[in-house]
């Protein structure tokens, strides 16, 4: 059995990541969700390599918080591994990398990874560096509102996991991205059909 918490709806959209995605499956969204609590990009890579289902046409990945929270974390190494996820998926599958959330420094509980405020400032700096690299990678990106960096109410009592409001906001951002992706697919199909029709009409008149 595949490791991780799996919410299956039969959707063609898969959201996979660490514990921050685990409640997205309960928001009523038509998404399959795989949550790997406490894990990082290596575990996501392993899961995709071993368990990917061909019905998925869009894969949204939110992972890296645990990687960057470890001692000696390398932003460049994490970036390379996130980019390498594209190579694990069959041709034609659309992948989107979700920006990581920087953590709000106000009213921060002491239990957040037992990090001092100095280390947490460094964590936020690493998140900004990673997100900047991803923005230039050519990979599709899921951006987040500024609230996740400044609004303490979007996080639960531990300052790490999302509150109900945070899950709702995250879910809405994903829903908007999925909707935009579906529209783009429809537009591409329409453009292809229109161009084929034009070629057919041109050949018809040339033959006549």
């Amino acid at each position: 059995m595949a490791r991780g918490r799996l919410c299956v709806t039969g959707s063609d959209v898969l959201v996979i990541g660490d514990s921050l995605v685990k409640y997205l499956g309960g928001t009523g969204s038509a998404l399959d969700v795989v949550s790997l609590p406490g894990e990082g990009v290596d575990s996501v890579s392993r899961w995709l390599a071993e368990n990917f289902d061909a019905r998925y046409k869009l894969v949204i990945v939110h992972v890296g918080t645990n990687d960057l929270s470890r001692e000696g974390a390398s932003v460049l190494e994490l970036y390379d591994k996130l980019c390498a996820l594209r190579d694990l998926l069959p041709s034609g599958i659309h992948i989107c990398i979700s920006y990581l959330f920087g953590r709000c420094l106000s009213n921060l509980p002491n239990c957040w990874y037992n990090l001092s405020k100095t280390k947490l400032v460094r964590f936020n700096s690493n998140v900004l560096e990673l997100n900047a690299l991803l923005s230039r990678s050519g990979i599709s990106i899921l951006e987040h509102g500024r609230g996740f960096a400044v609004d303490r109410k979007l996080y639960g009592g531990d300052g790490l996991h999302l509150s109900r409001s945070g899950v709702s906001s995250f879910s809405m951002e994903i829903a908007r991205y999925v909707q935009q992706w579906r529209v783009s697919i429809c537009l591409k199909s329409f453009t292809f059909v229109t161009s084929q029709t034009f070629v057919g009409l041109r050949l018809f008149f040339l033959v006549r």
Side-chain angles (χ1 to χ4, degrees):
M1 182 178 179
R3 187 176 184 277
R5 174 175 172 170
L6 178 62
C7 172
V8 180
T9 65
S11 174
D12 60 350
V13 178
L14 171 67
V15 178
I16 183 169
D18 50 34
S19 57
L20 290 179
V21 307
K22 67 181 176 181
Y23 294 118
L24 294 176
T27 58
S29 303
L31 304 167
D32 278 12
V33 178
V34 174
S35 173
L36 301 165
E39 301 295 331
V41 65
D42 288 339
S43 294
V44 168
S45 177
R46 192 177 310 114
W47 195 99
L48 290 174
E50 296 175 356
N51 304 287
F52 185 76
D53 192 310
R55 78 171 182 275
Y56 297 127
K57 305 304 177 188
L58 169 61
V59 178
I60 299 175
V61 178
H62 184 95
V63 72
T65 298
N66 294 311
D67 298 270
L68 290 184
S69 302
R70 292 166 186 147
E71 196 68 33
S74 168
V75 174
L76 286 176
E77 181 180 353
L78 176 57
Y79 168 74
D80 288 339
K81 289 181 177 182
L82 287 171
C83 290
L85 294 176
R86 290 179 295 189
D87 300 328
L88 294 174
L89 302 178
S91 176
I93 305 302
H94 187 82
I95 185 169
C96 168
I97 305 296
S98 168
Y99 277 163
L100 295 186
F101 304 130
R103 288 309 188 274
C104 179
L105 295 176
S106 62
N107 301 317
L108 190 74
N110 294 325
C111 61
W112 201 89
Y113 276 108
N114 295 315
L115 295 180
S116 65
K117 189 169 183 178
T118 300
K119 290 184 178 180
L120 190 52
V121 168
R122 188 182 308 130
F123 170 83
N124 282 346
S125 176
N126 286 340
V127 167
L128 289 175
E129 182 182 348
L130 176 66
N131 290 348
L133 288 171
L134 288 170
S135 71
R136 301 190 294 270
S137 67
I139 300 177
S140 293
I141 298 300
L142 174 62
E143 299 186 49
H144 305 294
R146 186 169 177 269
F148 284 102
V150 299
D151 190 351
R152 180 67 178 80
K153 294 179 181 178
L154 295 180
Y155 296 94
D158 62 359
L160 166 62
H161 296 94
L162 299 177
S163 65
R164 185 173 298 179
S165 295
V167 171
S168 178
S169 296
F170 192 15
S171 179
M172 284 190 292
E173 290 177 342
I174 289 177
R176 280 194 294 269
Y177 184 90
V178 172
Q179 183 179 34
Q180 292 169 358
W181 170 74
R182 294 198 187 283
V183 168
S184 70
I185 295 297
C186 290
L187 289 175
K188 287 178 183 177
S189 299
F190 176 78
T191 301
F192 175 77
V193 171
T194 303
S195 63
Q196 292 296 99
T197 302
F198 174 77
V199 170
L201 287 173
R202 186 178 180 187
L203 287 174
F204 172 77
F205 285 112
L206 285 175
V207 170
R208 292 189 67 190

